[in-house]
C-alpha cells in the first residue's frame, strides 16, 4: 500500500492535464474526480448573478487552439499543454504575419524553456503562451491562428464537502480550483484538502468542517454572498495553497492576527520544531483576503510552503508534478491534522473544586499514571489544568504557559473531567 504522500501525488498527476479556469467544464471535470475521493455537493451559479460587488461572468470553454506555420505544423499547441492559451481567450480564426502575432504572444525571457501562465478574465483578449526559445526559432512569415473557444451565458461552479461535527460551529478549509496545469499552485492544495477531509470523516470531530473547492477570488466571493446569513457559524478557517513544494512551511495570519487559528498554527509549527515562517496578514494573496475582508473579518489564515510568487517556477510550466513531492504534501497534511486536533480539543474548563488542590490520589488519578513513561509530566498537566480551569483559560493557554505538550494537557483534562473535577 502506498503512503498518503504518494496517493496525494497520484491525484495531482491525474488532475494536472485538465484545463481549468474560473468557470467551465475543466472545473467540473476536476470536481468530478475529487468527488471520487470525498462526496461533493456541487453548486452552479448562473452568469449575471450579483455576488457582493461582483457579477458572475460568462462561462469559458475551449476545445482546441494552435498556431501553425506555413507547412501546417503546430508550433504552439493547446493539446500539448493547457498553459499554451491565454486563459479566457476569445475565439479567433485568422492568418497573420509573425510581426502582428507577436503582440499576442507571452514568454519568459529569463527562463527561455518555460511557458508562462497568463489570463485575461475580464477583458476580451486572446493570446498564446510559449517558451522564449520556441519564439526565437520561428521564422518570419504568415501563421494560421485558431482558438476554438466559447464565452457564453453559463455558470460558475464550486463544490463543498461537509464533515459533520459534534457542534454546528464550523471550520472552513478552502482551496482554489481555477488554475490549469500547475501542480503546486494549486493541485497540491486540492490534494491535501481532499485527504484531510477523508481523515476527518474517519473520526467525529468537535467542529463541523466545511471544505470549499472553488475558483479563486470570484468563487470565494460567491460563496460568501450565498452564505452571508450563516457566516457567524464560521469560527476558524484555513486556506491551502502551494502545499507541495520543497520549501519550509509558511503560515500567513488572519487579519486579526490573534484569532484562535493563528495561535494554533503558531503553536503547532513551533512545538513540532519544523522549519517554518509566520507572516502577518496582507490584503493580497489567495482567498484569505476575501474571508478576512472587513465586512466579514473571519479568523481565516493561509498555510503554504513557499508562498505565491516566492519561487521562480510560480505560474509557469516548471510547476509540474515533478516540482511537488509526496514528502512535502504529507508534511503539509500532517500540520493540518495536528492543527485540527488542537482546534477540536481547545476548550475552556471550570474547576469544580477550586478552593485548594483536590485530592487526586483518592480519585485514583495518580494510580492511573502508574507505569507511564510520562507520569511526572501527566501529573504536572493535571495540576496546571486544575489551576487554570477558571473559565477564562483554554487548554492551549495551559500548554503554552506550562510548556507541556498539548496532547498531554488535553489528556489531563479528559481524566479530570471523567473524575468530575472540571467541566467545559
Amino acid at each position: 500500500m502506498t503512503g498518503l504522500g504518494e496517493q496525494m501525488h497520484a491525484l495531482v498527476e491525474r488532475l494536472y492535464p485538465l484545463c481549468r479556469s474560473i468557470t467551465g467544464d475543466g472545473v467540473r471535470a476536476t470536481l468530478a474526480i475529487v468527488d471520487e475521493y470525498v462526496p461533493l455537493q456541487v453548486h452552479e451559479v448562473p452568469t449575471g448573478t450579483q455576488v457582493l460587488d461582483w457579477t458572475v461572468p460568462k462561462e469559458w470553454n475551449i476545445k482546441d487552439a494552435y498556431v501553425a506555420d506555413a507547412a501546417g505544423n503546430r508550433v504552439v499547441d493547446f493539446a500539448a499543454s493547457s498553459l499554451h492559451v491565454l486563459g479566457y481567450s476569445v475565439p479567433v480564426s485568422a492568418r497573420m504575419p509573425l510581426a502582428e502575432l507577436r503582440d499576442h504572444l507571452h514568454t519568459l525571457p529569463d527562463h527561455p524553456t518555460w511557458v508562462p501562465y497568463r489570463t485575461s478574465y475580464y477583458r476580451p483578449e486572446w493570446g498564446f503562451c510559449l517558451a522564449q526559445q520556441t519564439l526565437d526559432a520561428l521564422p518570419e512569415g504568415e501563421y494560421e491562428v485558431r482558438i476554438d473557444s466559447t464565452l457564453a451565458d453559463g455558470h460558475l461552479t464550486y463544490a463543498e464537502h461537509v464533515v459533520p461535527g459534534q457542534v454546528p460551529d464550523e471550520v472552513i478549509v478552502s482551496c482554489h480550483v481555477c488554475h490549469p496545469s500547475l501542480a503546486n499552485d494549486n493541485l497540491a492544495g486540492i490534494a491535501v484538502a481532499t485527504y484531510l477531509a477523508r481523515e476527518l470523516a474517519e473520526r467525529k470531530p468537535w467542529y463541523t468542517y466545511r471544505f470549499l473547492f472553488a475558483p479563486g477570488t470570484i468563487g470565494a466571493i460567491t460563496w460568501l454572498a450565498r452564505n452571508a446569513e450563516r457566516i457567524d457559524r464560521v469560527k476558524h478557517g484555513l486556506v491551502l495553497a502551494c502545499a507541495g513544494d520543497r520549501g519550509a512551511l509558511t503560515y500567513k495570519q488572519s487579519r486579526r492576527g490573534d484569532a484562535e487559528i493563528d495561535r494554533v498554527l503558531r503553536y503547532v509549527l513551533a512545538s513540532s520544531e519544523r522549519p517554518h515562517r509566520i507572516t502577518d496578514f496582507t490584503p493580497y494573496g489567495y482567498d484569505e483576503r476575501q474571508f478576512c475582508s472587513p465586512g466579514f473579518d473571519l479568523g481565516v489564515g493561509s498555510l503554504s510552503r513557499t508562498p505565491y510568487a516566492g519561487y521562480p517556477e510560480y505560474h509557469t510550466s516548471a510547476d509540474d508534478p515533478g516540482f511537488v513531492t509526496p514528502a512535502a504534501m504529507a508534511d503539509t497534511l500532517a500540520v493540518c491534522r495536528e492543527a485540527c486536533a488542537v482546534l477540536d480539543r481547545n476548550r475552556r474548563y471550570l474547576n469544580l473544586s477550586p478552593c485548594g488542590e483536590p485530592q487526586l490520589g483518592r480519585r485514583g488519578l495518580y494510580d492511573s499514571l502508574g507505569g507511564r513513561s510520562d507520569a511526572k509530566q501527566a501529573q504536572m498537566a493535571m495540576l496546571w489544568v486544575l489551576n487554570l480551569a477558571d473559565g477564562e483559560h483554554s487548554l492551549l493557554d495551559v500548554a503554552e504557559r506550562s510548556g507541556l505538550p498539548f496532547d498531554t494537557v488535553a489528556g489531563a483534562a479528559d481524566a479530570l473531567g471523567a473524575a468530575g473535577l472540571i467541566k467545559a
Side-chain angles (χ1 to χ4, degrees):
M1 181 179 178
T2 57
L4 289 176
E6 287 76 13
Q7 293 175 45
M8 288 187 285
H9 197 270
L11 176 56
V12 168
E13 290 181 314
R14 189 177 175 194
L15 294 172
Y16 183 75
L18 298 177
C19 181
R20 281 165 291 273
S21 190
I22 56 173
T23 63
D25 292 334
V27 174
R28 296 185 185 95
T30 298
L31 296 177
I33 290 174
V34 173
D35 185 67
E36 297 175 18
Y37 294 76
V38 291
L40 298 179
Q41 181 181 6
V42 177
H43 303 270
E44 298 276 6
V45 184
T47 295
T49 302
Q50 189 72 25
V51 286
L52 305 182
D53 194 47
W54 294 60
T55 303
V56 173
K58 291 183 180 296
E59 181 177 323
W60 184 69
N61 286 293
I62 183 168
K63 295 180 180 178
D64 193 17
Y66 60 87
V67 175
D69 62 19
N73 300 310
R74 294 191 176 194
V75 295
V76 184
D77 192 356
F78 169 76
S81 170
S82 60
L83 294 179
H84 277 308
V85 172
L86 179 76
Y88 253 64
S89 280
V90 297
V92 61
S93 181
R95 289 184 175 275
M96 63 186 67
L98 181 58
E100 181 181 346
L101 178 58
R102 282 181 184 276
D103 291 338
H104 299 275
L105 301 181
H106 305 270
T107 64
L108 293 167
D110 291 341
H111 297 282
T113 64
W114 296 357
V115 177
Y117 164 55
R118 299 287 185 266
T119 63
S120 182
Y121 293 141
Y122 301 104
R123 297 185 308 276
E125 296 183 7
W126 65 267
F128 290 87
C129 301
L130 67 159
Q132 181 66 43
Q133 68 176 18
T134 301
L135 177 58
D136 291 342
L138 295 182
E140 295 297 330
E142 189 174 72
Y143 288 83
E144 180 188 2
V145 179
R146 180 164 172 77
I147 298 178
D148 185 6
S149 64
T150 57
L151 269 167
D153 286 350
H155 297 82
L156 178 144
T157 309
Y158 72 91
E160 299 175 284
H161 172 79
V162 177
V163 180
Q166 299 175 52
V167 296
D169 292 342
E170 293 186 358
V171 179
I172 295 292
V173 180
S174 174
C175 59
H176 58 275
V177 297
C178 53
H179 284 21
S181 296
L182 300 172
N184 197 40
D185 180 25
N186 186 46
L187 296 180
I190 294 172
V192 170
T194 299
Y195 275 79
L196 179 62
R198 288 174 62 143
E199 288 194 6
L200 288 171
E202 294 176 357
R203 58 186 173 89
K204 190 170 184 181
W206 176 254
Y207 287 108
T208 294
Y209 284 80
R210 184 176 300 273
F211 289 81
L212 302 180
F213 300 86
T217 305
I218 186 65
I221 286 171
T222 299
W223 186 86
L224 286 164
R226 288 163 57 89
N227 291 272
E229 76 287 348
R230 47 185 302 282
I231 289 297
D232 58 348
R233 292 188 190 176
V234 178
K235 304 304 179 184
H236 320 285
L238 193 62
V239 173
L240 292 174
C242 303
D245 67 84
R246 292 171 174 82
L249 282 157
T250 298
Y251 176 69
K252 176 183 173 182
Q253 300 185 108
S254 72
R255 178 178 181 267
R256 301 177 190 174
D258 61 350
E260 188 171 343
I261 189 70
D262 301 327
R263 293 189 59 206
V264 167
L265 263 297
R266 290 197 299 261
Y267 173 81
V268 166
L269 289 168
S271 62
S272 71
E273 298 185 349
R274 289 177 172 90
H276 69 278
R277 290 197 312 149
I278 304 295
T279 63
D280 291 332
F281 174 80
T282 63
Y284 185 78
Y286 290 108
D287 284 332
E288 68 279 357
R289 68 189 197 273
Q290 309 307 332
F291 298 115
C292 292
S293 56
F296 297 110
D297 195 22
L298 298 175
V300 177
S302 176
L303 183 66
S304 62
R305 302 196 73 85
T306 307
Y308 54 87
Y311 51 97
E313 297 85 356
Y314 179 75
H315 280 191
T316 78
S317 58
D319 184 2
D320 60 17
F323 181 68
V324 299
T325 71
M329 284 188 284
D331 187 49
T332 306
L333 175 62
V335 168
C336 292
R337 181 191 303 125
E338 294 163 24
C340 291
V342 174
L343 277 176
D344 274 349
R345 301 180 75 183
N346 187 35
R347 290 188 282 284
R348 289 171 171 79
Y349 288 84
L350 188 65
N351 189 335
L352 301 179
S353 183
C355 298
E357 183 181 302
Q359 191 175 27
L360 301 182
R362 176 166 61 84
R363 293 172 171 84
L365 291 172
Y366 283 148
D367 293 340
S368 70
L369 302 178
R372 285 180 53 168
S373 60
D374 64 341
K376 183 66 176 177
Q377 196 177 60
Q379 178 183 332
M380 285 303 301
M382 288 186 188
L383 297 177
W384 271 109
V385 170
L386 284 168
N387 191 268
L388 294 179
D390 54 7
E392 298 295 327
H393 292 85
S394 69
L395 293 187
L396 183 56
D397 292 324
V398 177
E400 290 179 331
R401 185 164 177 179
S402 68
L404 296 168
F406 182 87
D407 282 349
T408 302
V409 170
D414 290 342
L416 292 168
L421 288 173
I422 62 172
K423 70 174 182 178

